[in-house]
């Protein structure tokens, strides 16, 4: 962007590894230098993350008896959040597709925001999986070659591969682009365009595989539906753009990064389609469940209306439906791109709606009633909320720091020769 | 839940049998094993004798058994097992002999006084017209009787009250009571013989240990054979979850 | 992301900022150490041998002997009980099968209790591998079942259906395990290597029969109630955070003995034996009774059969 020809020449003669360490050092400086707002934000996130870390340490020591999960409801808030975060990671691809397949220039300029979100979301996914393990000290049993990797039979091994693969792909793409910008060089398409295209397919795969994790279980009729993977994807393509729209607006207000209305308009257009498809799929599911009836409907009955006097999830799911419908109305309103508050509310409602639907509305009712049709309800314990909040804080830290590094490099405020356009 | 009848056959401790069948059987197995060690000497003697017999009879006499073992070509002439004898190693609890009947009195030590059936019945004339327990006015008061249309002499032998009587009139020692039951309860007897009725402990693999089984009357009071109701043990604990967990409430 | 230190001269600002950063870092590090403290305590108790222990199938005989010795010592140390842990292997020519006569099961739950004692289950949670459902006569719909009945049994309009691990021939729990910590043995029993399981509970979600149990905490069993006859793959005291399940009492059944639940059954509703032995009682039941399996439509091919008398 701002790299002049002289600096480029100098760069080319400099030793690679030396430059790379300079890049890392500069990134470190960027990550630790900032305004008071930045410090306050990071301190807050650190504090919450530490509370979560402590809660997790206690959980590992005392056992998962401290959660409210039981042998009846054996997955809870962690896996619910995990599922949602996979969606968020996959949803980021909705920036990548317009930028790279449809050559949307303006989207291309800000696509890094989505790619970094994918990284942060995947990191959170991995953390949610780790805190859900009864024996995190045995994580190495999962490492192919060292442990015993039950591939390809176990869908969880597929998930390990696709999630880590997606993380590596995005780390490579973002890292390469940032490093080239830092050097002031034009990125060589050979080194990233193929990976971008792989990452598009890969993004679809992470959420498909995650859906297969559940829908392949014959003993859980609530999950055992072919619509699960498509539903996961469409909801991901709502929640991903919704989060990115909110992030772009914050970036626009707090940094010098130029975010035009174009990308936001594109994302809104995408959401207008996906949120409607998502609603259609929810309606299809509800119709199939309730028109057919029978024993396999009991989870859905429990979720939407309560069963035998048990109705812990009813308020959750109806909040989710109301939020999704309202978000749809807001987003479909033609004025939404002019009235940013409308857009913001719409995005927040969509995020909340889908977070509930993918979490409390999907994972938990899969276990209620149990496979022997016993009704044991579940509500997360305080410890589970603490750990979940901690992971969210840690994820936001990763996202904030990566944006904090990426934006000055992208705007050209920082490169190999210039520490910072304002403070240098 | 049916309360225990005041009248009981001694040795048939209903409560104990129904609540601790497994334990009782296990204890019995221990006793049996103990007793067996005593018999071991005698067994060895017998085996020794048999061995001598086999040696003496020579190879020619052993040949037929070899022939028997390969009877693949015999087709449908498979011998039908008619006796209710169980495989070797299966032991069934047997009543020691004729039951004793509580008189309702206790001796100086406070122990209940029991008498043999024949004590009274040797001198008492049998009443063949008796239709039910309620008609009895001297003894067996309070005997709770509910066993189809049977009456006393369907099973008890008026010729000799220390034995039982089969439907064909032949007498049967109390120790073989199963045969008596099997007259009517054929399917149960068949299931019992094939191991799908009646409590047992021990080995599934009889080459690795014995099997010890209950007798019909260990669980079924012959005068009231219906299996009595009992309180279930070991109620599942409600899972520790959110408050207002109604898991320990009955669903219906 | 511009700095806002324009009020002060760069030098002062930088040094103050550096000092603040150093302080923040120190505080952060201290808070981190404090937060992680329970974990460091926990890892201190964890032996390196345990951490590095190989998968059951990869252990040599000597290594397995060492593992068992360590586990016995741990039981002595943590529970005060002398126990003997053995590695009972499947016997050739044996395929275990189990059948349950629903006509004579009275729902007394003695099997569940016996399982609890035999398998050294956590006393506080009163865990058992068996759940007995009270069912409506005229329906095999599990939805009408109730495990929490507390009235004299059998009720005349009910029948009772104990459910435990079905030792499926196509076990979904084994398929989904990401680390092969659970597998089907040659005699048909699905086992768990409690020292290899990572505790993800995917198998528990996959099992259609609610047969798996998770050790939500370290099992607590009083010293005098511990069953000292233990199998490495069966009833040894399980570690916290690992999955466990019914093994048809393989520490008994691989020695020719009946499982504990069968011995506890007062009515003889349970039939156990070798499916390959044509003279076994289990074969007689399969050949002469009209048996059915639970959730046959799922294609799991259970080894646990139910039947009614005529």
């Amino acid at each position: 962007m701002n790299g002049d020809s002289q600096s480029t020449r100098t760069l080319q003669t400099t030793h690679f590894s030396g430059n790379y360490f300079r890049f890392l050092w500069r990134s470190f400086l960027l990550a630790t230098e900032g305004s008071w707002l930045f410090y306050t934000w990071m301190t807050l996130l650190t504090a919450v993350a530490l509370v979560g870390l402590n809660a997790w340490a206690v959980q590992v020591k005392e056992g998962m008896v401290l959660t409210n999960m039981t042998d009846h409801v054996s997955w809870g808030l962690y896996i619910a959040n995990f599922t949602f975060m996979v969606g968020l990671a996959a949803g980021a691809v909705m920036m990548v597709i317009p930028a790279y397949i449809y050559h949307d220039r303006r989207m291309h300029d800000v696509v890094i925001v989505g790619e970094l979100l994918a990284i942060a979301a995947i990191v959170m996914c991995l953390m949610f999986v780790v805190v859900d393990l009864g024996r995190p000290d045995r994580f190495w049993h999962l490492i192919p070659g060292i442990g015993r990797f039950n591939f390809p039979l176990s869908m969880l091994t597929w998930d390990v591969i696709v999630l880590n693969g997606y993380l590596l792909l995005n780390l490579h793409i973002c890292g390469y682009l940032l490093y080239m910008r830092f050097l002031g060089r034009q990125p060589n398409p050979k080194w990233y365009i193929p990976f971008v295209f792989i990452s598009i397919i890969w993004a679809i795969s992470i959420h498909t595989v995650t859906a297969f994790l559940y829908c392949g279980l014959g003993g859980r009729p609530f999950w055992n539906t072919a619509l699960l993977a498509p539903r996961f994807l469409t909801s991901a393509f709502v929640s991903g753009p919704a989060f990115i729209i909110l992030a772009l607006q914050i970036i626009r207000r707090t940094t010098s990064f130029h975010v035009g209305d174009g990308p936001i308009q594109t994302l809104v257009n995408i959401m207008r389609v996906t949120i409607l498809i998502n609603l259609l799929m929810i309606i299809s599911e509800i119709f199939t469940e309730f028109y057919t009836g029978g024993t396999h409907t009991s989870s859905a009955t429990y979720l939407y209306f309560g069963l035998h006097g048990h109705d812990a999830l009813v308020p959750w799911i109806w909040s989710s439906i109301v939020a999704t419908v309202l978000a749809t109305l807001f987003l479909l309103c033609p004025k939404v791109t002019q009235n940013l508050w409308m857009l913001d509310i719409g995005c927040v409602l969509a995020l909340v709606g889908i977070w509930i639907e993918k979490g409390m509305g999907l994972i938990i009712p899969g276990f209620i009633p149990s496979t022997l049709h016993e009704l044991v309800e579940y509500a997360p314990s305080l410890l589970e909320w603490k750990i979940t909040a901690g992971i969210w804080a840690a994820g936001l830290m990763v996202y904030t720091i990566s944006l904090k590094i990426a934006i000055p490099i992208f705007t050209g405020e920082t490169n190999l020769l210039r520490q910072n356009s304002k403070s240098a | 839940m049916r309360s225990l009848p005041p009248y009981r056959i001694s040795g048939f401790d209903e409560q104990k049998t129904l609540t601790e069948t497994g334990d009782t059987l296990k204890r019995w197995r221990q006793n049996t094993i103990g007793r067996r060690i005593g018999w071991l000497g005698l067994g060895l003697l017998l085996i020794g004798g048999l061995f001598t017999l086999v040696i003496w009879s020579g190879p020619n006499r052993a040949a037929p058994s070899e022939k028997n073992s390969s009877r693949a070509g015999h087709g449908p002439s498979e011998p039908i097992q008619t006796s209710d004898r169980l495989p070797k190693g299966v032991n069934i609890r047997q009543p020691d002999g004729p039951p004793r009947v509580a008189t309702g009195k206790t001796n100086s030590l406070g122990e209940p006084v029991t008498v043999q059936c024949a004590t009274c019945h040797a001198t008492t004339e049998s009443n063949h017209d008796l239709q039910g327990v309620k008609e009895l006015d001297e003894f067996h008061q309070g005997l709770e009787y509910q066993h189809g249309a049977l009456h006393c002499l369907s099973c008890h032998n008026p010729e000799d009250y220390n034995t039982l009587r089969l439907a064909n009139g032949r007498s049967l020692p109390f120790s073989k009571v199963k045969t008596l039951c099997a007259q009517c309860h054929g399917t149960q007897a068949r299931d019992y013989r094939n191991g799908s009725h009646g409590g047992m402990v021990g080995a599934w693999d009889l080459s690795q240990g014995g099997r010890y089984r209950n007798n019909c009357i260990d669980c079924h009071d012959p005068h009231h054979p219906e299996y009595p109701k009992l309180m279930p043990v070991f109620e599942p604990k409600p899972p520790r979850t959110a408050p207002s967990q109604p898991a320990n409430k009955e669903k219906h | 992301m511009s700095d806002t230190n324009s009020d002060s001269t760069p030098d002062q600002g930088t040094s103050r900022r550096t000092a603040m950063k150093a302080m923040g870092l120190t505080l952060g590090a201290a808070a981190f150490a404090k937060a992680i403290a329970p974990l460091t305590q926990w890892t201190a108790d964890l032996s390196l041998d345990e951490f590095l222990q190989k998968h059951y199938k990869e252990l040599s005989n000597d290594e397995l002997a060492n593992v068992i010795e360590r586990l016995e010592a741990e039981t002595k140390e943590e529970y005060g009980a002398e126990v003997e842990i053995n590695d009972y292997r499947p016997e050739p020519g044996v395929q275990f099968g189990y059948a349950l006569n629903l006509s004579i099961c009275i729902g007394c739950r003695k099997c569940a209790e016996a399982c609890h004692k035999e398998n050294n289950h956590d006393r506080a949670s009163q865990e058992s591998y068996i759940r007995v459902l009270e069912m409506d006569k005229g329906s095999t719909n599990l939805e009408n079942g109730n495990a929490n009945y507390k009235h004299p049994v059998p009720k005349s309009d009910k029948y009772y259906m104990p459910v435990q691990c079905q030792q499926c021939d196509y076990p979904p729990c084994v398929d989904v395990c990401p680390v092969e910590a659970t597998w089907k043995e040659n005699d048909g029993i699905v086992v768990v290597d409690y020292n290899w399981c990572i505790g993800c509970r995917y198998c528990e979600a996959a099992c259609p029969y609610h047969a798996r149990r998770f050790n939500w905490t370290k099992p607590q069993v009083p010293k005098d109630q511990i069953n000292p006859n233990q199998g490495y793959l069966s009833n040894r005291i399980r570690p916290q955070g690992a999955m466990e399940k019914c093994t048809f009492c393989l520490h008994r059944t691989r020695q020719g003995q009946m499982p504990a639940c069968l011995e506890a059954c007062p009515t003889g509703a349970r039939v156990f034996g070798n499916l390959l032995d044509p003279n076994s009682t289990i074969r007689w039941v399969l050949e002469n009774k009209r048996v059915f399996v639970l959730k046959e439509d799922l294609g799991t091919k259970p080894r646990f059969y139910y039947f009614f008398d005529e």
Side-chain angles (χ1 to χ4, degrees), chain C residues 71-244:
Chain C
L71 291 170
E72 286 172 346
E74 276 174 12
T75 314
K76 176 83 185 136
E77 190 190 328
E78 290 162 18
Y79 295 88
E82 294 277 0
V83 301
E84 191 190 327
I85 301 176
N86 279 299
D87 176 37
Y88 299 102
R89 300 277 167 125
E91 291 172 62
V94 175
Q95 290 289 333
F96 287 123
Y98 213 144
L100 201 145
N101 190 342
L102 294 167
S103 292
I104 59 177
C105 173
I106 54 166
C108 64
R109 283 197 293 246
K110 295 221 173 80
C111 49
E113 186 184 48
C115 172
H116 176 76
K117 290 177 179 164
E118 178 71 27
N119 288 302
N120 294 311
H121 278 293
D122 179 41
R123 290 301 186 258
S125 55
Q126 215 164 298
E127 203 48 88
S128 170
Y129 295 138
I130 304 174
R131 248 181 135 69
V132 185
L133 300 176
E134 187 178 65
M135 306 277 288
D136 287 343
K137 276 187 179 164
S139 165
T140 50
N141 188 349
L142 292 170
E143 199 173 11
N144 302 326
N146 172 25
N148 301 298
Y149 56 90
K150 40 184 165 192
H151 48 70
V153 289
K155 251 181 125 179
S156 57
D157 56 341
K158 304 283 185 189
Y159 71 97
Y160 297 85
M161 180 186 261
V163 184
Q164 64 203 75
C165 177
Q166 313 278 307
Q167 316 290 359
C168 308
D169 279 352
Y170 298 110
C173 53
V174 168
D175 290 352
V176 301
C177 178
V179 294
E180 296 175 8
T182 182
W183 64 91
K184 194 172 175 70
E185 297 251 293
N186 287 339
D187 55 4
I189 295 179
V190 176
V191 294
V192 180
D193 183 350
Y194 310 122
N195 278 36
W196 188 260
C197 170
I198 58 171
C200 70
R201 307 188 299 292
Y202 195 11
C203 53
E204 198 166 32
C207 173
Y209 304 102
H210 187 65
R212 288 185 165 250
R213 302 286 183 273
F214 188 65
N215 285 282
W216 300 97
T217 182
K218 189 180 167 69
Q220 294 303 323
V221 192
K223 177 185 163 188
D224 53 333
Q225 291 178 23
I226 288 177
N227 175 5
N229 170 26
Q230 300 185 352
Y232 179 84
L233 292 174
S234 63
N235 66 336
R236 70 179 164 100
I237 299 180
R238 275 75 66 189
Q240 170 178 304
M243 194 55 74
E244 59 176 76

Side-chain angles (χ1 to χ4, degrees), chain B residues 167-184:
Chain B
N168 62 9
R170 279 166 59 183
S171 83
L172 184 80
F174 272 95
S175 58
K176 293 194 171 167
V177 63
K178 281 198 288 115
T179 312
L180 184 90
C181 304
Q183 294 180 117
C184 300

Side-chain angles (χ1 to χ4, degrees), chain A residues 32-36 38-39 50 53-54 56-65 67 69-75 132-142 146-150 153-157 212-214 217-220 223 255-256 295 298 307-308 367 370-374 404 408 413 420 422-423, chain C residues 1-4 17 20-21 28 31-32 34-39 41-42 46 50-55 57-58 127 131 133 141-143 145 147-148 163 174-180 193-202 204-210 212-214 216-218 239-242 294-295 297-298:
Chain A
T32 51
E33 290 278 350
S35 63
W36 286 113
F38 172 73
Y39 284 132
L50 285 176
L53 180 69
N54 179 252
W56 177 62
V58 172
Q59 177 191 289
V60 172
K61 182 165 180 272
E62 304 295 327
M64 301 191 82
V65 69
T67 71
M69 288 183 270
T70 55
D71 284 324
H72 293 84
V73 186
S74 51
W75 281 339
D132 193 60
L133 294 183
R135 295 300 296 224
D137 55 312
R138 299 182 186 160
F139 75 94
W140 63 272
H141 299 174
L142 259 175
I146 307 174
R148 282 174 81 95
F149 203 55
N150 190 13
L153 216 49
S154 169
M155 288 318 292
L156 205 53
T157 57
F212 287 178
L213 207 74
Y214 310 114
L217 305 181
R220 307 270 173 200
W223 296 338
T255 73
S256 56
T295 310
S298 41
L307 194 62
H308 302 309
F367 293 98
S370 78
T371 46
L372 296 184
H373 290 268
E374 291 184 65
K404 182 79 172 44
E413 286 166 34
N420 192 306
K422 283 180 187 170
S423 58
Chain C
M1 298 266 168
S2 61
D3 294 342
T4 51
R17 176 156 298 200
M20 289 289 283
K21 266 190 196 169
F32 182 82
K34 186 100 177 88
I36 205 98
L39 203 61
Q41 277 171 31
W42 181 75
L46 189 75
E50 189 188 341
F51 177 70
L52 293 175
Q53 186 181 323
K54 286 195 264 182
H55 188 278
K57 289 183 183 172
E58 287 166 11
E127 203 48 88
R131 248 181 135 69
L133 300 176
N141 188 349
L142 292 170
E143 199 173 11
N148 301 298
V163 184
V174 168
D175 290 352
V176 301
C177 178
V179 294
E180 296 175 8
D193 183 350
Y194 310 122
N195 278 36
W196 188 260
C197 170
I198 58 171
C200 70
R201 307 188 299 292
Y202 195 11
E204 198 166 32
C207 173
Y209 304 102
H210 187 65
R212 288 185 165 250
R213 302 286 183 273
F214 188 65
W216 300 97
T217 182
K218 189 180 167 69
Q240 170 178 304
L294 282 188
K295 303 193 184 187
D297 51 321
L298 296 179

Side-chain angles (χ1 to χ4, degrees), chain A residues 132-291:
Chain A
D132 193 60
L133 294 183
R135 295 300 296 224
D137 55 312
R138 299 182 186 160
F139 75 94
W140 63 272
H141 299 174
L142 259 175
I143 302 172
I146 307 174
R148 282 174 81 95
F149 203 55
N150 190 13
F151 185 82
L153 216 49
S154 169
M155 288 318 292
L156 205 53
T157 57
W158 284 74
D159 224 21
V160 168
I161 292 172
V162 293
L163 288 179
N164 286 300
Y166 194 60
L167 180 64
L168 290 178
L169 275 172
N170 278 289
L171 278 175
H172 166 73
I173 295 166
C174 295
Y176 177 74
L177 288 177
L178 281 176
Y179 184 52
M180 286 300 125
R181 294 276 184 156
F182 178 76
L183 294 181
R185 271 196 240 157
Q186 200 62 35
N188 183 350
K190 243 186 8 197
W191 284 106
Y192 78 104
I193 294 292
F195 295 99
V196 169
F197 281 93
I198 293 172
S199 86
I200 290 171
I201 299 161
W202 210 281
I204 313 271
S205 83
I206 61 168
H207 222 20
T208 307
V209 166
T210 306
F212 287 178
L213 207 74
Y214 310 114
C215 73
L217 305 181
R220 307 270 173 200
F222 186 69
W223 296 338
N224 192 211
T225 156
L227 199 55
L228 204 70
R231 248 187 93 186
F232 269 34
L233 286 169
T234 39
S235 66
F237 297 154
V238 177
S239 60
F243 193 92
I244 292 164
I245 288 175
L246 293 173
L248 284 176
Q249 295 203 60
I250 293 169
I251 290 166
R252 183 147 75 170
R253 287 188 180 85
T254 55
T255 73
S256 56
F257 197 43
H258 175 73
V259 180
D261 286 337
I264 292 180
Q265 178 71 54
T266 309
L267 289 172
V268 170
N269 288 343
I270 290 169
M271 283 177 76
R272 280 174 171 166
V273 178
T274 53
I275 203 165
L276 281 177
I277 299 178
N278 191 40
L279 267 182
L280 174 72
M281 287 184 175
I282 293 175
I283 291 165
S284 308
E285 287 265 46
I286 290 177
F287 171 79
T288 316
E289 290 274 12
F290 291 107
Y291 193 84

Side-chain angles (χ1 to χ4, degrees), chain B residues 92-99 173-178 215 217-218:
Chain B
I92 297 166
R93 286 218 295 178
Q94 304 288 0
D96 292 335
F174 272 95
S175 58
K176 293 194 171 167
V177 63
K178 281 198 288 115
N215 202 320
I217 58 159
D218 287 334

